[in-house]
């Protein structure tokens, strides 16, 4: 309510000021000249209070900026040059330039919107979960602790081959789980396979 009351007060004061300025007896402000009567490098508390602390002093350095009614000479020259260049362009050329500028702006806006959509979709893909935690936990438990694995052994795994040599015993014991399966359609004279290596027949030296 306090903000609305202040806004209503300001609006009323602005309307009153506009009525006074638009009155026929009010002289035109553009015909009035403001001349600084006192310039001082010392701090002026009255100016500080009126400007809400923005202007501490009213010296020869700040007067040209605060009482300026025209832009800088350099800026004025640039504006005149731009106006002269604009007057030289024909309406057709100006229309073409406007169309090309609008096309460039529309293409730029399309690229920006496309990049925004791609970034949003990429963020959604990153946030989407791509795995099942239950399956992951079950796999870790099976690998680490053997949970859920079957206790059955393949046929022929119970027989162990003993050897007099301790080094060969470990190798043959590891290979004892391999079952000898004859190949289909192979002749009976073909030698059995043990762990993928063909055994030499008795009485022949091994290679």
């Amino acid at each position: 309510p306090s903000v609305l009351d202040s806004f209503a007060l300001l609006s009323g004061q602005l309307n009153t000021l506009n009525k006074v300025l638009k009155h026929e007896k009010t002289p035109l402000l553009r015909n009035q000249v403001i001349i600084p009567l006192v310039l001082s490098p010392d701090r002026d508390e009255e100016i500080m209070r009126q400007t809400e602390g923005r202007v501490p002093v009213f010296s020869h350095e700040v007067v040209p900026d605060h009482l300026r009614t025209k832009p800088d000479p350099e800026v004025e020259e640039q504006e005149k040059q731009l106006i002269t260049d604009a007057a030289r362009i024909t309406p057709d050329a100006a229309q073409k330039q406007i169309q090309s500028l609008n096309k460039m702006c529309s293409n730029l806006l399309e690229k920006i919107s496309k990049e925004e959509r791609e970034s949003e979709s990429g963020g959604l893909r990153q946030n989407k979960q791509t795995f099942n935690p239950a399956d992951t936990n079950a796999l870790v438990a099976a690998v680490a602790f053997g949970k859920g694995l079957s206790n059955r052994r393949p046929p022929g795994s119970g027989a162990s081959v003993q050897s007099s040599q301790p080094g060969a015993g470990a190798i043959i014991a590891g290979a004892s789980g391999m079952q000898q399966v004859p190949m289909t359609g192979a002749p009976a004279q073909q030698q059995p396979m043990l762990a993928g290596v063909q055994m030499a027949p008795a009485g022949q030296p091994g290679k």
Side-chain angles (χ1 to χ4, degrees):
S2 61
V3 174
L4 292 177
D5 294 341
S6 301
F7 181 77
L9 180 61
L10 289 174
S11 178
Q13 291 178 353
L14 288 175
N15 289 331
T16 304
L17 182 60
N18 286 330
K19 288 180 181 179
V20 171
L21 293 177
K22 290 179 180 179
H23 197 269
E24 58 183 7
K25 294 183 179 181
T26 302
L28 295 176
L29 294 180
R30 68 182 63 182
N31 296 331
Q32 305 296 321
V33 179
I34 298 177
I35 301 176
L37 300 179
V38 179
L39 296 179
S40 174
D42 300 330
R43 184 184 179 91
D44 194 341
E45 297 296 334
E46 182 65 19
I47 292 178
M48 281 282 292
R49 184 183 63 80
Q50 292 180 357
T51 60
E52 298 179 355
R54 292 188 297 271
V55 182
V57 295
F58 198 67
S59 63
H60 64 283
E61 295 180 357
V62 299
V63 163
D65 295 331
H66 289 282
L67 299 184
R68 186 188 303 276
T69 57
K70 294 177 65 177
D72 292 336
E74 296 83 2
V75 177
E76 200 170 10
E77 284 294 328
Q78 291 180 2
E79 288 185 355
K80 289 181 180 179
Q81 185 67 29
L82 290 174
I83 292 173
T84 305
D85 294 342
R88 293 175 182 173
I89 301 176
T90 61
D92 295 338
Q95 191 66 27
K96 290 180 179 179
Q97 291 183 3
I98 292 172
Q99 291 177 357
S100 62
L101 181 61
N102 291 334
K103 187 177 180 179
M104 291 171 59
C105 293
S106 60
N107 293 336
L108 184 60
L109 289 175
E110 288 178 0
K111 289 182 179 180
I112 293 174
S113 60
K114 183 179 179 181
E115 290 181 358
E116 289 179 352
R117 289 194 301 268
E118 289 179 353
S119 62
E120 291 177 358
S121 62
L124 292 176
R125 286 197 299 268
Q126 290 179 0
N127 295 333
K128 186 178 180 181
Q129 193 173 8
T130 57
F131 65 94
N132 189 355
D135 293 345
T136 304
N137 295 333
L139 183 60
V140 171
V143 172
F145 308 107
K147 184 178 179 181
L149 298 180
S150 176
N151 293 329
R152 292 186 306 155
R153 296 185 177 180
S157 62
S160 60
V161 179
Q162 299 294 332
S163 175
S164 59
Q165 299 179 0
I171 298 176
I172 298 176
S176 62
M178 303 296 294
Q179 186 179 7
Q180 298 181 7
V181 180
M183 295 181 63
T184 306
Q189 290 82 8
Q190 188 174 4
Q191 299 298 326
M193 302 286 290
L194 178 61
V197 179
Q198 185 176 2
M199 303 297 293
Q204 294 183 3
K207 294 184 180 180

